[in-house]
Amino acid sequence: MNMDFNLFMNDVVQQARKEIVSAGYTELKTAEDVKETLAKKGTTLVMVNSVCGCAGGIARPAAAHSLHYDKRPDHLVTVFAGQDKEATAEARSFFTGYPPSSPSFALLKDGEIITMVERHDIEGHEPMAVVQKLQQSFEEHCEEI
């Protein structure tokens, strides 16, 4: 069986992108997009997307389901680790005190990191546990919509 790995990965990446955008997140594909977006006032949830099967398959559904809550961030954005490298590096420069982690979630307020849900908080956990972590952060730091 002949399989083109790059073609396969392109399909996986496109599906992962589609899932998170369909959930209501805006893709940031350049470092300039990240700088501009994270300079905005209010709370911003950054989902660092990844094709990692284990954690990514938990993080993307959690990203979508966490939004079914009375309090939510003002801005929902995503960067894609391993794909949009400059955008991801720029986003991570805002995550002071946290090592690179993907997939992950960073909650910022006025461009300053408040908290992270890192890969170790995602991988091996049930999606609802990740949803609850995110919603707990929303409860503490976000306004009711």
Side-chain angles (χ1 to χ4, degrees):
M1 179 173 169
N2 226 355
M3 182 180 198
D4 184 338
F5 180 75
N6 290 327
L7 185 59
F8 171 75
M9 285 308 296
N10 187 48
D11 286 348
V12 171
V13 167
Q14 292 308 315
Q15 182 60 35
R17 286 184 188 276
K18 183 180 173 185
E19 282 180 50
I20 200 70
V21 169
S22 294
Y25 291 73
T26 300
E27 281 189 296
L28 305 179
K29 293 188 175 188
T30 68
E32 195 56 43
D33 290 344
V34 172
K35 287 178 195 173
E36 183 180 309
T37 299
L38 296 186
K40 292 178 180 177
K41 293 289 184 195
T43 53
T44 303
L45 182 64
V46 180
M47 193 276 185
V48 180
N49 204 349
S50 169
V51 292
C52 166
C54 303
I58 295 167
R60 285 186 296 278
H65 292 291
S66 68
L67 304 179
H68 302 286
Y69 197 68
D70 291 340
K71 294 183 178 183
R72 287 196 314 225
D74 300 311
H75 313 285
L76 303 168
V77 298
T78 183
V79 295
F80 207 119
Q83 300 298 312
D84 302 322
K85 294 176 183 176
E86 292 171 5
T88 302
E90 184 63 33
R92 286 178 171 157
S93 75
F94 285 82
F95 309 161
T96 308
Y98 293 94
S101 177
S102 60
S104 62
F105 297 90
L107 184 62
L108 296 93
K109 183 164 187 173
D110 300 333
E112 298 292 323
I113 188 75
I114 297 171
T115 190
M116 291 272 309
V117 176
E118 299 174 87
R119 181 187 176 110
H120 67 82
D121 298 315
I122 299 168
E123 189 171 32
H125 293 81
E126 292 295 321
M128 282 311 296
V130 179
V131 168
Q132 289 170 343
K133 282 181 188 283
L134 289 168
Q135 290 177 341
Q136 184 176 28
S137 294
F138 300 168
E139 181 66 32
E140 291 177 38
H141 304 288
C142 299
E143 299 294 320
E144 194 165 326
I145 54 166

